[in-house]
Amino acid sequence: MKEHQAQTPAQQLDNLLETMLPEIIRHETENTSTIHLYHTGDYWVAFNMSAYLLTETGMPCDTSAMQIPALPSPLIIAYTTTTVVDTLLDKDNTSEGSCEYKAITAQVASMQSYKEWYREETEIFEE
């Protein structure tokens, strides 16, 4: 029997993107008020507008931008802990989902603010 090896957080994120990228993009297209969260190991991750909305809650999270060959522009990722997600759910936010996915209703975002945030987060890719 082959010994099971634990995946690193980077491998877990890669697996999530390999299997869920079309759904993630579908969720983020025209999103302005829902934090879509995906569970990967010890973290919950959000992408693009969901990442922005998560940062706007004031709860602790970190962000990173990455270039994915299948996408025309960089993808921004915000990641946080289960404790933060549980706190957001306790704030009387409307939510839906499972143990691997949560959708939390947030305040409607200003597209101007989002675009400025996105530009700042993706400056690393500009030449």
Side-chain angles (χ1 to χ4, degrees):
M1 184 160 72
K2 195 173 194 178
E3 188 175 318
H4 174 71
Q5 294 180 340
Q7 291 185 328
T8 66
Q11 290 169 323
Q12 292 170 352
L13 180 59
D14 285 345
N15 287 342
L16 174 71
L17 291 172
E18 279 181 24
T19 59
M20 301 292 291
L21 188 59
E23 181 176 338
I24 290 166
I25 298 305
R26 184 178 55 78
H27 282 153
E28 296 309 314
T29 302
E30 299 183 25
N31 179 23
T32 60
S33 63
T34 303
I35 304 170
H36 298 278
L37 293 160
Y38 305 85
H39 195 229
T40 59
D42 294 333
Y43 296 96
W44 286 86
V45 295
F47 302 92
N48 287 359
M49 177 59 84
S50 292
Y52 172 70
L53 292 168
L54 181 60
T55 65
E56 289 294 294
T57 66
M59 299 301 290
C61 65
D62 292 305
T63 60
S64 181
M66 63 190 301
Q67 191 72 54
I68 297 177
L71 299 177
S73 56
L75 186 67
I76 301 175
I77 302 163
Y79 49 98
T80 195
T81 64
T82 297
T83 303
V84 168
V85 173
D86 289 345
T87 300
L88 288 172
L89 292 171
D90 287 344
K91 288 186 172 186
D92 294 329
N93 292 311
T94 305
S95 69
E96 62 180 64
S98 67
C99 63
E100 299 299 317
Y101 167 79
K102 302 280 183 216
I104 302 171
T105 302
Q107 297 246 350
V108 175
S110 155
M111 287 307 292
Q112 170 94 13
S113 296
Y114 169 71
K115 288 176 182 178
E116 289 173 15
W117 175 83
Y118 183 89
R119 184 184 45 75
E120 290 172 9
E121 291 288 324
T122 59
E123 281 179 340
I124 191 170
F125 298 105
E126 295 176 4
E127 294 186 348

